[in-house]
Protein backbone atom coordinates (compact mmCIF):
# COMPACT_ATOMS: atom_id res chain seq x y z
CA UNK A 1 0.00 0.00 0.00
CA UNK A 2 1.46 3.30 -1.16
CA UNK A 3 -0.02 6.65 -0.15
CA UNK A 4 1.05 10.13 -1.04
CA UNK A 5 -0.22 12.58 1.57
CA UNK A 6 0.11 16.36 1.45
CA UNK A 7 0.29 17.83 4.95
CA UNK A 8 -0.81 21.44 5.45
CA UNK A 9 -0.11 22.27 9.12
CA UNK A 10 -1.35 25.88 8.81
CA UNK A 11 -1.52 28.25 11.78
CA UNK A 12 -1.69 28.31 15.56
CA UNK A 13 -2.12 24.84 17.01
CA UNK A 14 -2.41 23.40 13.46
CA UNK A 15 1.29 22.39 13.27
CA UNK A 16 1.20 20.98 16.83
CA UNK A 17 -1.73 18.63 16.23
CA UNK A 18 -0.84 17.59 12.68
CA UNK A 19 2.63 16.57 13.84
CA UNK A 20 1.00 13.96 16.10
CA UNK A 21 -1.41 12.79 13.40
CA UNK A 22 1.51 12.30 11.00
CA UNK A 23 3.44 10.38 13.66
CA UNK A 24 0.50 8.00 14.05
CA UNK A 25 0.20 7.47 10.29
CA UNK A 26 3.97 6.94 10.04
CA UNK A 27 3.67 4.28 12.72
CA UNK A 28 0.95 2.44 10.80
CA UNK A 29 3.12 2.66 7.69
CA UNK A 30 6.22 1.31 9.48
CA UNK A 31 4.52 -1.47 11.44
CA UNK A 32 2.47 -2.74 8.50
CA UNK A 33 5.21 -2.28 5.88
CA UNK A 34 3.32 0.31 3.84
CA UNK A 35 4.81 3.28 2.03
CA UNK A 36 3.22 6.51 3.19
CA UNK A 37 4.99 9.58 1.81
CA UNK A 38 4.38 12.98 3.38
CA UNK A 39 4.94 16.31 1.69
CA UNK A 40 4.56 19.43 3.84
CA UNK A 41 3.30 22.76 2.46
CA UNK A 42 2.03 26.11 3.70
CA UNK A 43 -1.55 27.38 3.91
CA UNK A 44 -3.38 30.19 5.72
CA UNK A 45 -1.61 32.92 7.65
CA UNK A 46 1.75 31.10 7.45
CA UNK A 47 1.43 31.18 3.65
CA UNK A 48 0.37 34.84 3.55
CA UNK A 49 3.53 35.74 5.46
CA UNK A 50 5.92 33.61 3.39
CA UNK A 51 4.29 33.67 -0.05
CA UNK A 52 1.85 36.58 0.01
CA UNK A 53 -1.20 34.40 -0.55
CA UNK A 54 -3.20 32.03 1.70
CA UNK A 55 -3.10 29.16 -0.82
CA UNK A 56 0.18 29.18 -2.78
CA UNK A 57 0.19 27.41 -6.15
CA UNK A 58 2.84 24.97 -4.95
CA UNK A 59 0.66 23.88 -2.03
CA UNK A 60 -2.40 23.39 -4.22
CA UNK A 61 -0.44 21.54 -6.91
CA UNK A 62 0.92 19.11 -4.33
CA UNK A 63 -2.59 18.52 -2.95
CA UNK A 64 -3.99 17.80 -6.39
CA UNK A 65 -1.25 15.23 -7.03
CA UNK A 66 -1.80 13.48 -3.71
CA UNK A 67 -4.03 10.63 -2.60
CA UNK A 68 -5.18 12.69 0.39
CA UNK A 69 -4.61 15.97 2.19
CA UNK A 70 -4.22 16.32 5.95
CA UNK A 71 -4.75 19.85 7.25
CA UNK A 72 -4.26 21.38 10.70
CA UNK A 73 -6.06 24.71 10.98
CA UNK A 74 -5.88 28.23 9.56
CA UNK A 75 -6.43 31.65 11.08
CA UNK A 76 -4.45 34.11 13.15
CA UNK A 77 -5.39 37.21 15.16
CA UNK A 78 -3.01 39.27 13.08
CA UNK A 79 -5.28 38.89 10.05
CA UNK A 80 -8.61 39.29 11.84
CA UNK A 81 -9.14 42.83 10.53
CA UNK A 82 -8.86 41.77 6.88
CA UNK A 83 -11.72 40.87 4.56
CA UNK A 84 -12.40 38.34 1.81
CA UNK A 85 -9.54 36.88 -0.18
CA UNK A 86 -6.87 38.36 2.06
CA UNK A 87 -7.84 36.25 5.05
CA UNK A 88 -6.16 32.92 5.95
CA UNK A 89 -9.62 31.29 5.87
CA UNK A 90 -9.93 32.15 2.16
CA UNK A 91 -7.07 29.71 1.51
CA UNK A 92 -8.98 26.88 3.15
CA UNK A 93 -12.20 27.67 1.29
CA UNK A 94 -10.34 27.82 -2.04
CA UNK A 95 -8.66 24.51 -1.23
CA UNK A 96 -11.98 22.83 -0.39
CA UNK A 97 -13.43 24.07 -3.65
CA UNK A 98 -10.42 22.96 -5.70
CA UNK A 99 -10.38 19.46 -4.17
CA UNK A 100 -14.12 19.19 -4.67
CA UNK A 101 -15.16 17.22 -1.58
CA UNK A 102 -18.77 18.35 -1.16
CA UNK A 103 -19.69 16.08 1.77
CA UNK A 104 -17.97 16.92 5.03
CA UNK A 105 -18.30 14.03 7.47
CA UNK A 106 -17.98 15.01 11.12
CA UNK A 107 -18.40 12.12 13.59
CA UNK A 108 -19.31 13.04 17.15
CA UNK A 109 -19.50 10.62 20.04
CA UNK A 110 -19.59 10.55 23.78
CA UNK A 111 -16.40 8.98 25.15
CA UNK A 112 -17.12 7.02 28.31
CA UNK A 113 -13.64 7.58 29.73
CA UNK A 114 -14.05 11.37 29.70
CA UNK A 115 -17.81 11.66 30.18
CA UNK A 116 -17.24 14.02 33.11
CA UNK A 117 -15.63 16.57 30.76
CA UNK A 118 -18.89 17.52 29.12
CA UNK A 119 -20.99 20.19 30.80
CA UNK A 120 -23.91 17.90 29.87
CA UNK A 121 -24.93 15.25 32.41
CA UNK A 122 -23.58 11.77 31.76
CA UNK A 123 -27.08 10.31 31.48
CA UNK A 124 -27.71 12.81 28.66
CA UNK A 125 -24.59 12.09 26.61
CA UNK A 126 -24.38 8.33 27.25
CA UNK A 127 -24.46 6.32 24.01
CA UNK A 128 -24.44 9.38 21.74
CA UNK A 129 -22.88 8.51 18.38
CA UNK A 130 -23.68 10.92 15.56
CA UNK A 131 -22.35 11.51 12.07
CA UNK A 132 -22.92 15.06 10.88
CA UNK A 133 -22.91 15.25 7.09
CA UNK A 134 -22.32 18.89 6.25
CA UNK A 135 -22.73 20.18 2.68
CA UNK A 136 -19.40 21.92 2.14
CA UNK A 137 -19.31 23.71 -1.20
CA UNK A 138 -22.60 25.57 -1.42
CA UNK A 139 -24.89 27.92 0.45
CA UNK A 140 -23.80 31.23 1.95
CA UNK A 141 -20.12 30.33 1.88
CA UNK A 142 -19.87 30.40 -1.91
CA UNK A 143 -23.09 32.05 -3.14
CA UNK A 144 -22.75 35.03 -5.49
CA UNK A 145 -23.28 37.94 -5.42
CA UNK A 146 -21.49 38.79 -2.21
CA UNK A 147 -20.13 42.14 -1.20
CA UNK A 148 -19.19 44.51 1.56
CA UNK A 149 -20.08 47.94 0.15
CA UNK A 150 -17.22 50.37 -0.32
CA UNK A 151 -18.71 52.86 2.12
CA UNK A 152 -18.71 50.03 4.66
CA UNK A 153 -22.36 50.67 5.50
CA UNK A 154 -23.97 47.63 3.95
CA UNK A 155 -23.15 44.09 2.89
CA UNK A 156 -24.80 41.06 1.41
CA UNK A 157 -24.25 37.35 0.90
CA UNK A 158 -26.29 34.93 -1.13
CA UNK A 159 -27.70 31.63 0.03
CA UNK A 160 -28.14 29.54 -3.06
CA UNK A 161 -28.58 25.81 -3.66
CA UNK A 162 -29.18 23.79 -6.79
CA UNK A 163 -31.03 20.52 -6.38
CA UNK A 164 -28.03 18.62 -7.78
CA UNK A 165 -25.92 19.87 -4.86
CA UNK A 166 -28.54 18.71 -2.37
CA UNK A 167 -28.99 15.40 -4.12
CA UNK A 168 -25.32 14.40 -4.17
CA UNK A 169 -24.73 15.14 -0.48
CA UNK A 170 -28.00 13.39 0.43
CA UNK A 171 -26.82 10.20 -1.27
CA UNK A 172 -23.67 10.26 0.85
CA UNK A 173 -25.75 10.71 4.02
CA UNK A 174 -28.07 7.80 3.19
CA UNK A 175 -25.17 5.57 2.23
CA UNK A 176 -23.40 6.36 5.50
CA UNK A 177 -26.66 5.68 7.38
CA UNK A 178 -26.75 2.19 5.84
CA UNK A 179 -23.43 1.43 7.48
CA UNK A 180 -24.77 2.73 10.81
CA UNK A 181 -28.21 2.74 12.46
CA UNK A 182 -30.18 3.59 9.31
CA UNK A 183 -31.59 6.90 10.37
CA UNK A 184 -31.14 10.34 8.78
CA UNK A 185 -32.23 13.60 10.38
CA UNK A 186 -32.22 16.38 7.79
CA UNK A 187 -31.88 19.82 9.37
CA UNK A 188 -33.15 22.95 7.63
CA UNK A 189 -35.14 26.15 8.06
CA UNK A 190 -37.95 25.25 5.64
CA UNK A 191 -40.47 27.32 7.59
CA UNK A 192 -38.69 30.48 6.38
CA UNK A 193 -36.08 29.87 3.65
CA UNK A 194 -36.74 28.88 0.02
CA UNK A 195 -33.32 27.19 -0.12
CA UNK A 196 -34.50 25.01 2.77
CA UNK A 197 -37.79 24.22 1.05
CA UNK A 198 -35.78 23.00 -1.96
CA UNK A 199 -33.48 21.15 0.44
CA UNK A 200 -36.35 19.35 2.18
CA UNK A 201 -38.10 18.43 -1.05
CA UNK A 202 -34.90 17.06 -2.59
CA UNK A 203 -33.86 15.04 0.47
CA UNK A 204 -37.36 13.52 0.64
CA UNK A 205 -37.09 12.55 -3.03
CA UNK A 206 -33.64 10.94 -2.59
CA UNK A 207 -34.89 9.06 0.48
CA UNK A 208 -37.23 7.02 -1.75
CA UNK A 209 -34.16 5.21 -3.06
CA UNK A 210 -33.31 4.18 0.51
CA UNK A 211 -36.54 2.68 1.87
CA UNK A 212 -34.54 0.85 4.55
CA UNK A 213 -33.35 4.17 6.01
CA UNK A 214 -35.64 6.23 8.20
CA UNK A 215 -35.80 9.94 7.35
CA UNK A 216 -36.97 12.73 9.62
CA UNK A 217 -36.83 16.50 9.14
CA UNK A 218 -36.08 19.08 11.82
CA UNK A 219 -35.90 22.86 11.97
CA UNK A 220 -32.44 24.07 12.83
CA UNK A 221 -33.46 26.20 15.83
CA UNK A 222 -35.30 23.42 17.60
CA UNK A 223 -32.69 20.87 16.50
CA UNK A 224 -29.91 22.95 18.08
CA UNK A 225 -31.73 22.53 21.38
CA UNK A 226 -32.53 18.83 20.96
CA UNK A 227 -28.95 18.03 19.95
CA UNK A 228 -27.79 18.81 23.47
CA UNK A 229 -30.88 17.56 25.32
CA UNK A 230 -31.29 14.16 23.61
CA UNK A 231 -28.10 13.56 21.59
CA UNK A 232 -28.40 9.76 21.72
CA UNK A 233 -31.56 9.96 19.56
CA UNK A 234 -29.60 10.86 16.43
CA UNK A 235 -27.64 8.83 13.93
CA UNK A 236 -26.81 10.70 10.68
CA UNK A 237 -27.52 14.44 10.67
CA UNK A 238 -27.64 15.94 7.17
CA UNK A 239 -27.50 19.70 6.77
CA UNK A 240 -26.35 22.64 4.66
CA UNK A 241 -23.03 24.39 4.94
CA UNK A 242 -23.50 27.11 7.57
CA UNK A 243 -25.90 25.12 9.77
CA UNK A 244 -23.38 22.26 9.70
CA UNK A 245 -20.55 24.55 10.72
CA UNK A 246 -22.45 25.83 13.74
CA UNK A 247 -24.06 22.55 14.80
CA UNK A 248 -20.76 20.66 14.72
CA UNK A 249 -19.09 23.02 17.20
CA UNK A 250 -22.18 22.75 19.38
CA UNK A 251 -22.11 18.95 19.11
CA UNK A 252 -18.52 18.99 20.35
CA UNK A 253 -19.78 19.53 23.90
CA UNK A 254 -21.17 15.97 23.74
CA UNK A 255 -17.58 14.72 23.30
CA UNK A 256 -16.20 16.88 26.06
CA UNK A 257 -13.98 19.10 23.89
CA UNK A 258 -13.88 20.65 20.44
CA UNK A 259 -10.39 19.17 20.22
CA UNK A 260 -11.89 15.68 19.86
CA UNK A 261 -13.70 16.19 16.57
CA UNK A 262 -12.34 14.97 13.22
CA UNK A 263 -13.59 15.41 9.68
CA UNK A 264 -13.32 14.05 6.16
CA UNK A 265 -14.40 15.89 3.01
CA UNK A 266 -15.33 13.32 0.39
CA UNK A 267 -16.88 13.13 -3.06
CA UNK A 268 -14.27 15.21 -4.91
CA UNK A 269 -10.99 14.63 -6.72
CA UNK A 270 -8.86 14.37 -3.56
CA UNK A 271 -10.16 13.80 -0.04
CA UNK A 272 -9.37 16.38 2.63
CA UNK A 273 -8.97 15.50 6.31
CA UNK A 274 -8.97 18.10 9.07
CA UNK A 275 -10.00 18.43 12.68
CA UNK A 276 -13.14 20.51 13.20
CA UNK A 277 -11.47 23.03 15.52
CA UNK A 278 -9.61 26.17 14.51
CA UNK A 279 -6.12 27.49 15.14
CA UNK A 280 -6.90 28.25 18.82
CA UNK A 281 -4.56 31.25 19.12
CA UNK A 282 -5.33 31.42 22.86
CA UNK A 283 -3.38 28.19 23.54
CA UNK A 284 -1.01 27.98 20.54
CA UNK A 285 2.66 27.22 21.12
CA UNK A 286 2.19 25.92 24.66
CA UNK A 287 1.95 22.18 24.08
CA UNK A 288 -1.63 22.29 25.35
CA UNK A 289 -3.55 21.46 22.19
CA UNK A 290 -5.67 18.33 22.12
CA UNK A 291 -4.41 16.27 19.13
CA UNK A 292 -7.17 13.61 19.22
CA UNK A 293 -9.26 15.40 16.56
CA UNK A 294 -6.29 15.51 14.19
CA UNK A 295 -5.36 11.91 15.01
CA UNK A 296 -8.92 10.73 14.39
CA UNK A 297 -8.86 12.65 11.09
CA UNK A 298 -5.85 10.49 10.19
CA UNK A 299 -7.95 7.42 11.06
CA UNK A 300 -10.65 8.69 8.70
CA UNK A 301 -8.00 9.07 5.99
CA UNK A 302 -7.09 5.39 6.28
CA UNK A 303 -10.76 4.42 6.09
CA UNK A 304 -12.06 6.66 3.31
CA UNK A 305 -9.02 7.13 1.08
CA UNK A 306 -7.04 3.93 1.62
CA UNK A 307 -9.77 1.43 2.55
CA UNK A 308 -7.57 0.37 5.48
CA UNK A 309 -10.55 -0.26 7.79
CA UNK A 310 -8.65 -2.45 10.16
CA UNK A 311 -5.77 0.00 10.68
CA UNK A 312 -8.22 2.87 10.96
CA UNK A 313 -10.10 1.06 13.74
CA UNK A 314 -6.84 0.40 15.57
CA UNK A 315 -6.17 4.14 15.71
CA UNK A 316 -9.62 4.75 17.15
CA UNK A 317 -9.05 1.98 19.70
CA UNK A 318 -5.72 3.53 20.61
CA UNK A 319 -7.48 6.85 21.23
CA UNK A 320 -9.96 5.13 23.55
CA UNK A 321 -7.13 3.38 25.40
CA UNK A 322 -5.20 6.59 25.84
CA UNK A 323 -8.28 8.34 27.24
CA UNK A 324 -8.93 5.36 29.55
CA UNK A 325 -5.40 5.68 30.91
CA UNK A 326 -6.34 9.21 31.94
CA UNK A 327 -3.92 10.83 29.51
CA UNK A 328 -5.44 14.14 28.46
CA UNK A 329 -4.61 17.74 27.59
CA UNK A 330 -6.02 20.53 29.84
CA UNK A 331 -9.30 20.83 27.88
CA UNK A 332 -10.20 17.33 29.13
CA UNK A 333 -9.27 17.79 32.74
CA UNK A 334 -12.94 17.47 33.62
CA UNK A 335 -14.74 17.37 36.94
CA UNK A 336 -12.27 14.69 38.02
CA UNK A 337 -9.45 17.22 37.68
CA UNK A 338 -7.16 14.91 35.72
CA UNK A 339 -3.59 16.16 35.60
CA UNK A 340 -2.84 17.35 32.09
CA UNK A 341 -0.04 16.10 29.84
CA UNK A 342 1.35 17.68 26.66
CA UNK A 343 0.18 17.34 23.06
CA UNK A 344 3.39 15.45 22.38
CA UNK A 345 2.80 13.01 25.26
CA UNK A 346 -0.67 12.19 23.95
CA UNK A 347 0.71 11.60 20.46
CA UNK A 348 3.41 9.34 21.87
CA UNK A 349 0.88 7.32 23.89
CA UNK A 350 -1.31 6.81 20.81
CA UNK A 351 1.74 5.78 18.75
CA UNK A 352 2.70 3.17 21.37
CA UNK A 353 -0.84 1.89 21.66
CA UNK A 354 -1.31 1.63 17.88
CA UNK A 355 1.98 -0.26 17.63
CA UNK A 356 0.83 -2.73 20.30
CA UNK A 357 -2.60 -3.23 18.75
CA UNK A 358 -1.23 -3.78 15.25
CA UNK A 359 1.52 -6.14 16.42
CA UNK A 360 -0.92 -8.13 18.52
CA UNK A 361 -3.14 -8.59 15.51
CA UNK A 362 -0.20 -9.58 13.30
CA UNK A 363 1.02 -12.12 15.85
CA UNK A 364 -2.49 -13.56 16.02
CA UNK A 365 -2.67 -13.96 12.25
CA UNK A 366 0.83 -15.50 12.13
CA UNK A 367 -0.24 -18.42 14.34
P1 LIG B 1 -11.11 27.61 17.69
O1 LIG B 1 -11.73 26.34 17.28
O2 LIG B 1 -9.75 27.86 17.21
O3 LIG B 1 -11.11 27.70 19.29
C1 LIG B 1 -12.29 27.74 20.08
C2 LIG B 1 -11.94 27.37 21.53
O4 LIG B 1 -11.68 25.97 21.60
C3 LIG B 1 -10.69 28.07 22.07
O5 LIG B 1 -10.86 28.35 23.43
C4 LIG B 1 -9.60 27.03 21.86
O6 LIG B 1 -8.54 27.13 22.76
C5 LIG B 1 -10.36 25.72 22.06
N1 LIG B 1 -9.77 24.66 21.23
C6 LIG B 1 -9.90 24.52 19.89
N2 LIG B 1 -9.21 23.46 19.47
C7 LIG B 1 -8.63 22.92 20.54
C8 LIG B 1 -7.77 21.79 20.74
N3 LIG B 1 -7.39 21.01 19.73
N4 LIG B 1 -7.36 21.54 22.00
C9 LIG B 1 -7.74 22.31 23.03
N5 LIG B 1 -8.55 23.37 22.92
C10 LIG B 1 -8.98 23.68 21.68
O7 LIG B 1 -12.11 28.77 17.24
P2 LIG B 1 -11.91 30.36 17.27
O8 LIG B 1 -11.11 30.75 18.47
O9 LIG B 1 -13.24 30.91 17.07
O10 LIG B 1 -11.07 30.66 15.96
C11 LIG B 1 -9.67 30.87 15.94
C12 LIG B 1 -9.21 30.96 14.49
O11 LIG B 1 -9.34 29.69 13.86
C13 LIG B 1 -10.00 31.94 13.65
O12 LIG B 1 -9.11 32.61 12.82
C14 LIG B 1 -10.93 31.04 12.84
O13 LIG B 1 -11.32 31.59 11.60
C15 LIG B 1 -10.07 29.84 12.64
N6 LIG B 1 -10.79 28.58 12.40
C16 LIG B 1 -10.20 27.72 11.52
C17 LIG B 1 -10.76 26.48 11.31
C18 LIG B 1 -10.08 25.54 10.36
O14 LIG B 1 -8.97 25.80 9.95
N7 LIG B 1 -10.70 24.45 9.97
C19 LIG B 1 -11.90 26.09 12.02
C20 LIG B 1 -12.46 27.00 12.92
C21 LIG B 1 -11.89 28.23 13.12
C1 LIG C 1 -14.71 24.82 9.95
C2 LIG C 1 -14.26 26.27 10.00
C3 LIG C 1 -14.24 26.86 8.60
C4 LIG C 1 -15.68 26.86 8.09
C5 LIG C 1 -13.65 28.26 8.47
C6 LIG C 1 -12.31 28.40 9.09
C7 LIG C 1 -13.58 28.69 7.02
O1 LIG C 1 -15.04 26.99 10.88
O2 LIG C 1 -14.09 24.03 9.21
O3 LIG C 1 -15.63 24.46 10.66
O4 LIG C 1 -16.46 27.78 8.41
O5 LIG C 1 -16.02 25.94 7.35
MN1 LIG D 1 -16.34 25.74 12.12
Amino acid sequence: MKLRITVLPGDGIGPEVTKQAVAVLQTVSDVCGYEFRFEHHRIGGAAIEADGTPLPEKSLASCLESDAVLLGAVGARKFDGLTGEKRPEAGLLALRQALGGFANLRPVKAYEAVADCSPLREDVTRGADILIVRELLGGLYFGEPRELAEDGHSAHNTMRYHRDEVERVSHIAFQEARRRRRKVTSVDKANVLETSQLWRRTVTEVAKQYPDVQLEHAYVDSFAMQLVTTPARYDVVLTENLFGDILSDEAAVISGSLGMLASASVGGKVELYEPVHGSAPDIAGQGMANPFGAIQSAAMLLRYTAGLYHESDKILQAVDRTLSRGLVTPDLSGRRNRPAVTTEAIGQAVVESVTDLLQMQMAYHAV
Side-chain angles (χ1 to χ4, degrees):
M1 166 65 64
K2 285 188 184 177
L3 278 183
R4 179 171 170 181
I5 301 168
T6 294
V7 184
L8 304 173
D11 305 319
I13 62 169
E16 302 171 46
V17 297
T18 35
K19 185 176 170 213
Q20 303 313 319
V22 169
V24 171
L25 286 174
Q26 186 66 57
T27 302
V28 172
S29 179
D30 293 345
V31 176
C32 300
Y34 301 146
E35 268 179 62
F36 295 175
R37 280 203 298 130
F38 301 94
E39 210 176 300
H40 287 68
H41 285 281
R42 284 187 287 269
I43 192 169
I48 296 177
E49 296 201 315
D51 315 285
T53 166
L55 181 60
E57 263 170 45
K58 237 175 89 184
S59 303
L60 178 59
S62 170
C63 292
L64 288 168
E65 284 162 18
S66 298
D67 296 302
V69 178
L70 182 66
L71 182 138
V74 298
R77 285 189 182 133
K78 189 171 165 188
F79 304 104
D80 275 351
L82 303 180
T83 58
E85 299 302 304
K86 300 192 194 84
R87 293 188 62 97
E89 291 83 350
L92 175 56
L93 295 174
L95 177 69
R96 287 177 179 168
Q97 204 168 27
L99 300 183
F102 53 82
N104 182 224
L105 313 181
R106 300 186 156 187
V108 181
K109 66 171 204 170
Y111 300 85
E112 242 176 72
V114 291
D116 62 299
C117 298
S118 174
L120 302 172
R121 287 200 317 270
E122 294 183 31
D123 62 295
V124 170
T125 57
R126 191 169 300 126
D129 182 356
I130 300 172
L131 178 67
I132 297 177
V133 178
R134 169 190 178 194
E135 199 293 321
L136 200 63
L137 298 182
L140 278 167
Y141 276 68
F142 295 96
E144 297 282 347
R146 58 187 300 160
E147 188 183 33
L148 174 60
E150 263 176 35
D151 66 7
H153 290 188
S154 72
H156 57 266
N157 288 94
T158 302
M159 186 145 177
R160 190 188 297 282
Y161 268 107
H162 190 280
R163 61 164 293 142
D164 295 351
E165 294 171 293
V166 185
E167 238 179 73
R168 63 185 187 176
V169 73
S170 300
H171 280 293
I172 302 270
F174 283 104
Q175 284 157 16
E176 288 295 324
R178 278 191 168 159
R179 288 189 270 276
R180 299 169 50 95
R181 302 191 307 281
R182 294 177 186 261
K183 185 173 161 189
V184 172
T185 304
S186 174
V187 178
D188 62 34
K189 186 73 185 170
N191 49 346
V192 176
L193 304 176
E194 283 78 5
T195 43
S196 280
Q197 288 152 12
L198 174 77
W199 182 277
R200 193 174 278 219
R201 208 183 308 145
T202 309
V203 175
T204 306
E205 200 55 39
V206 171
K208 290 183 187 151
Q209 297 175 48
Y210 302 87
D212 52 316
V213 179
Q214 186 198 337
L215 169 67
E216 66 176 7
H217 299 278
Y219 294 130
V220 64
D221 48 355
S222 130
F223 179 78
M225 181 271 294
Q226 290 182 46
L227 178 62
V228 283
T229 44
T230 51
R233 264 198 71 220
Y234 300 104
D235 181 15
V236 172
V237 171
L238 166 64
T239 193
E240 68 89 41
N241 204 344
L242 182 64
F243 297 163
D245 177 45
I246 298 168
L247 292 173
S248 52
D249 272 36
E250 186 197 357
V253 305
I254 297 164
S255 299
S257 168
L258 182 52
M260 296 306 290
L261 299 202
S263 91
S265 299
V266 303
K269 292 193 276 274
V270 181
E271 290 94 23
L272 169 65
Y273 299 88
E274 45 174 328
V276 170
H277 64 74
S279 56
D282 53 336
I283 59 163
Q286 301 172 50
M288 286 167 70
N290 179 341
F292 285 122
I295 290 170
Q296 298 196 92
S297 300
M300 291 186 89
L301 187 158
L302 294 187
R303 164 168 294 268
Y304 288 95
T305 292
L308 295 172
Y309 301 103
H310 175 74
E311 290 80 351
S312 175
D313 288 347
K314 295 294 171 210
I315 296 179
L316 300 182
Q317 276 177 37
V319 168
D320 277 332
R321 281 191 173 194
T322 306
L323 289 172
S324 300
R325 287 173 60 198
L327 293 175
V328 293
T329 40
D331 53 310
L332 288 175
S333 184
R335 284 186 285 277
R336 286 201 223 152
N337 274 322
R338 291 173 191 76
V341 302
T342 62
T343 309
E344 195 82 31
I346 300 282
Q348 198 48 42
V350 176
V351 160
E352 281 161 20
S353 190
V354 166
T355 307
D356 282 353
L357 288 163
L358 289 170
Q359 281 175 345
M360 238 158 43
Q361 189 73 19
M362 286 158 91
Y364 175 81
H365 282 295
V367 185

